[in-house]
Amino acid sequence: QKEVEQDPGPLSVPEGAIVSLNCTYSNSAFQYFMWYRQYSRKGPELLMYTYSSGNKEDGRFTAQVDKSSKYISLFIRDSQPSDSATYLCAMYPRSGTYKYIFGTGTRLKVLA
Amino acid sequence: KAGVTQTPRYLIKTRGQQVTLSCSPISGHRSVSWYQQTPGQGLQFLFEYFSETQRNKGNFPGRFSGRQFSNSRSEMNVSTLELGDSALYLCASSFAGGATDTQYFGPGTRLTVL
């Protein structure tokens, strides 16, 4: 079993929809949670970063972490065709390992 | 400010050969991490270097190795290539590494092993 599980999709939604992307994990040592966006033929870029449990909002993006359920989510409101990309969750333990664990990524397509 | 650059962008090799990939981090960044990305396994951590020292490595065979130079540029080497090594190899740089330090990824090197 992988440490981080993520539905690979693809997920197709109409423009303007609310998108929910999720990851589950098994290692309770993870303390830092990140979402990256990767466009085709590009490297991933950091979207959101959350420490421990709770919510964080940045424009149309909201990241949620539920450590009791070992479940994290990224919500995209008013989705746009430009949001079409692969979204990767990533996790990092408490300190000192310098090693990120990534999910496999969910491909999202927003249809105009 | 220039981003992370990786060379070459594309490589085709045959089984048994070896390959060296290069990564130039953002100026001032001293941490460089390498990842292998495949459709089935996603992004998997290979190793991380800081100030020419490897601080952590992932679960890859010894055929995968790396190094970092005094100017923070990094190389990774794969010896005795196998078909399963076909992947996108990404490097990422940050100031010092660690969870609160944003990683910036390069565009990757696409390696195809025939």
Side-chain angles (χ1 to χ4, degrees):
Chain A
Q1 185 193 2
K2 291 183 180 178
E3 280 188 284
V4 178
E5 299 279 358
Q6 185 175 8
D7 187 333
L11 179 63
S12 291
V13 301
E15 184 176 355
I18 296 174
V19 176
S20 171
L21 303 166
N22 311 293
C23 287
T24 59
Y25 63 96
S26 56
N27 188 346
S28 58
F30 290 138
Q31 291 285 333
Y32 299 88
F33 304 91
M34 288 137 282
W35 286 95
Y36 285 79
R37 177 175 61 196
Q38 185 176 19
Y39 290 115
S40 181
R41 296 189 183 87
K42 302 271 190 181
E45 57 177 336
L46 181 66
L47 261 184
M48 301 281 288
Y49 156 82
T50 311
Y51 171 70
S52 197
S53 284
N55 292 1
K56 187 173 183 178
E57 191 173 316
D58 184 2
R60 296 185 296 112
F61 299 90
T62 300
Q64 279 187 356
V65 175
D66 181 349
K67 290 191 70 183
S68 62
S69 302
K70 296 191 178 69
Y71 189 87
I72 70 170
S73 301
L74 177 71
F75 297 96
I76 307 174
R77 288 183 299 281
D78 188 24
S79 56
Q80 303 295 309
S82 58
D83 294 327
S84 298
T86 297
Y87 291 80
L88 302 123
C89 62
M91 307 189 186
Y92 192 96
R94 199 168 276 113
S95 65
T97 64
Y98 307 105
K99 178 179 176 180
Y100 290 77
I101 307 297
F102 280 81
T104 50
T106 299
R107 273 199 300 137
L108 171 67
K109 190 164 188 177
V110 181
L111 305 169
Chain B
K1 198 173 190 181
V4 178
T5 57
Q6 291 188 246
T7 56
R9 291 292 311 276
Y10 301 92
L11 261 180
I12 299 176
K13 293 284 187 179
T14 56
R15 276 183 300 173
Q17 287 187 309
Q18 77 164 19
V19 67
T20 299
L21 312 181
S22 180
C23 172
S24 292
I26 290 172
S27 178
H29 286 189
R30 294 167 66 191
S31 169
V32 174
S33 297
W34 286 90
Y35 296 86
Q36 180 194 67
Q37 188 174 33
T38 57
Q41 298 297 317
L43 210 62
Q44 292 186 281
F45 174 80
L46 281 156
F47 24 67
E48 189 262 0
Y49 286 89
F50 179 81
S51 292
E52 302 178 67
T53 299
Q54 186 184 90
R55 292 196 293 195
N56 205 342
K57 63 192 294 282
N59 299 323
F60 280 81
R63 300 184 296 107
F64 292 81
S65 63
R67 59 177 176 167
Q68 187 181 33
F69 303 95
S70 58
N71 61 358
S72 294
R73 192 177 70 84
S74 178
E75 288 182 347
M76 67 162 280
N77 183 277
V78 189
S79 62
T80 320
L81 283 166
E82 299 178 1
L83 295 178
D85 297 333
S86 294
L88 181 67
Y89 290 88
L90 291 156
C91 83
S93 76
S94 63
F95 282 109
T100 58
D101 201 7
T102 301
Q103 287 191 110
Y104 294 87
F105 282 83
T109 294
R110 172 76 60 187
L111 172 65
T112 302
V113 181
L114 302 175

